[in-house]
Amino acid sequence: MSVTILSVETSCDETAAAVLVDGINVKANIISSQVDVHRKFGGVVPEVASRKHLELINHVIREALDEAGIDFNSLDAVAVTYGPGLVGALLVGVAAAKAIAFGLDIPLIGVNHLEGHVSANFLIEPEPAFPIICLVVSGGHTDLVLISGFGQYELLGATRDDAAGEAFDKVARVLGLGYPGGPLIDELSASGDDTAVSLPRSYLAEGSLDFSFSGLKTAVINYLHRAEQKGLPANKADVAASFRRAAVDVLVDKTLLAARQHQTDTIMLAGGVAANRLLRQEMVFRAARESKQVLYPPPLLCTDNAAMIGCTAYHKYLRGDFAPLTLNAIPNLPLGLDRY
Ligand code: KG4
Ligand code: ZN
């Protein structure tokens, strides 16, 4: 018998709902982005995000059911992101999912947003060969994770300051490119020379799987200030390309180091920054030299969406891992540790 799950995601600035059958068959994947609302502030304003989620959530859920061609009575479970993320934003999705679970008397499944990002890969490869090293790179996280099976995670390293996506967004802002900066830097870099500006790469202690991006970000800011003081306008495409190259070099080097340390043949990319074209290209190229395989989701499944939450939820459904109706939003929920 097949399993139909409605999943909801409201952890940041996308209001999203999806319907998946058996965790792989995506019947609907609706994403209503608030990017235009937040753009004028240069970043996500938490209070505004919560209000927007409230306005949109019922419409987005209705649209997902309509597109899937089902009604509420066809659902076997409802899943929702309950952390990490913005507390007010998470609460909107959690409240909606709890109401549906209570009203229909079906199981409620609480999903970790980061586990969702990782699981986007299982939508393209449902039976990967474990163990896997996964680089989770988003606006809030830069994590290296050892995955030994569905739902089994060990955090190997994380950023000590800025997340990779945060660094992309901040550098885009100082370059005057707009928000969100990652895709804009990626685009502009294509016409720049990535050797034009010499920028630092931070590796921390030898063998460390932790990251640090604040030095790189500061180096870009200092370079732009010096250029301005000299009255010589910096070539934005060259700066963007040099920054992207420096960030990607460190991300690829450390991911391959982790794969060597843990003798894994498969590498996965996850999170919004996994949509970066140079990161995908370099990871595949460098991993192939060590006979390692690289998986990554299509760009739409790298950034926030509810299909990835539905895929994670399906594996929890199979394990009977359900949340109580007292489920709360947990803004700093760590990967691999459910707190119902
Ligand atoms: O996973 P995500 O959608 O939301 C979070 O969970 O944070 O990631 C958003 C981040 C933003 O910082 C955005 O600038 C970055 O992912 N991003 C990119 C690209 N597309 C999105 N960064 C670099 N290159 C891209 N193509
Ligand atoms: Zn995310």
Side-chain angles (χ1 to χ4, degrees):
M1 213 186 68
S2 64
V3 177
T4 303
I5 297 179
L6 168 71
S7 50
V8 174
E9 154 65 44
T10 62
S11 69
C12 191
D13 61 345
E14 329 280 357
T15 316
V19 174
L20 269 73
V21 173
D22 292 340
I24 180 79
N25 192 346
V26 182
K27 296 287 186 193
N29 186 22
I30 309 297
I31 304 168
S32 176
S33 177
Q34 306 175 5
V35 147
D36 291 340
V37 181
H38 297 284
R39 185 171 286 128
K40 53 180 172 290
F41 303 107
V44 179
V45 182
E47 180 60 26
V48 175
S50 316
R51 283 168 196 269
K52 270 281 154 203
H53 284 309
L54 266 180
E55 275 171 33
L56 293 166
I57 189 75
N58 288 342
H59 303 289
V60 167
I61 289 175
R62 168 53 51 206
E63 204 179 326
L65 294 174
D66 287 349
E67 193 169 305
I70 59 166
D71 60 23
F72 280 112
N73 293 321
S74 313
L75 297 176
D76 295 300
V78 56
V80 64
T81 306
Y82 73 106
L86 303 169
V87 67
L90 289 164
L91 277 170
V92 177
V94 169
K98 289 202 297 196
I100 293 168
F102 180 70
L104 297 174
D105 195 19
I106 55 173
L108 173 70
I109 302 173
V111 175
N112 182 307
H113 181 76
L114 299 173
E115 188 174 358
H117 275 305
V118 170
S119 303
N121 285 282
F122 304 140
L123 287 168
I124 50 159
E125 176 49 86
E127 288 173 17
F130 296 107
I132 294 167
I133 289 291
C134 184
L135 173 69
V136 186
V137 264
S138 69
H141 290 81
T142 304
D143 294 337
L144 272 169
V145 180
L146 177 66
I147 310 176
S148 39
F150 292 114
Q152 293 167 34
Y153 306 100
E154 186 190 333
L155 183 65
L156 304 174
T159 184
R160 295 195 185 162
D161 40 57
D162 291 350
E166 195 180 351
F168 270 89
D169 292 340
K170 286 178 178 167
V171 167
R173 193 183 307 172
V174 293
L175 283 172
L177 298 182
Y179 170 85
L184 298 168
I185 289 200
D186 206 11
E187 189 81 37
L188 184 62
S189 297
S191 56
D193 171 3
D194 66 5
T195 61
V197 185
S198 163
L199 294 171
R201 280 123 174 98
S202 171
Y203 287 93
L204 304 168
E206 199 182 331
S208 168
L209 296 178
D210 283 345
F211 297 90
S212 168
F213 289 104
S214 70
L216 172 60
K217 175 195 68 187
T218 307
V220 173
I221 294 171
N222 290 344
Y223 175 86
L224 291 171
H225 281 166
R226 278 197 301 274
E228 199 184 320
Q229 277 163 359
K230 286 185 200 151
L232 299 168
N235 179 317
K236 289 187 183 185
D238 286 352
V239 177
S242 303
F243 163 77
R244 182 179 71 160
R245 168 61 66 179
V248 165
D249 278 353
V250 177
L251 291 171
V252 173
D253 286 340
K254 296 229 172 205
T255 307
L256 287 173
L257 177 64
R260 264 178 248 126
Q261 283 180 357
H262 292 271
Q263 291 162 10
T264 59
D265 292 331
T266 305
I267 288 168
M268 292 188 336
L269 304 180
V273 184
N276 189 272
R277 280 173 280 184
L278 185 69
L279 177 61
R280 294 156 91 100
Q281 189 184 307
E282 279 293 304
M283 196 70 86
V284 170
F285 178 70
R286 301 256 320 270
R289 293 204 296 218
E290 300 183 31
S291 304
K292 295 187 195 302
Q293 179 204 12
V294 179
L295 298 173
Y296 48 73
L300 189 73
L301 294 176
C302 286
T303 45
D304 290 350
N305 66 87
M308 67 187 197
I309 304 304
C311 180
T312 315
Y314 175 67
H315 292 281
K316 292 189 134 188
Y317 183 95
L318 295 181
R319 296 195 294 270
D321 185 352
F322 303 135
L325 285 175
T326 50
L327 181 72
N328 205 349
I330 303 186
N332 57 357
L333 183 69
L335 182 66
L337 281 178
D338 273 315
R339 283 203 237 132
Y340 301 140

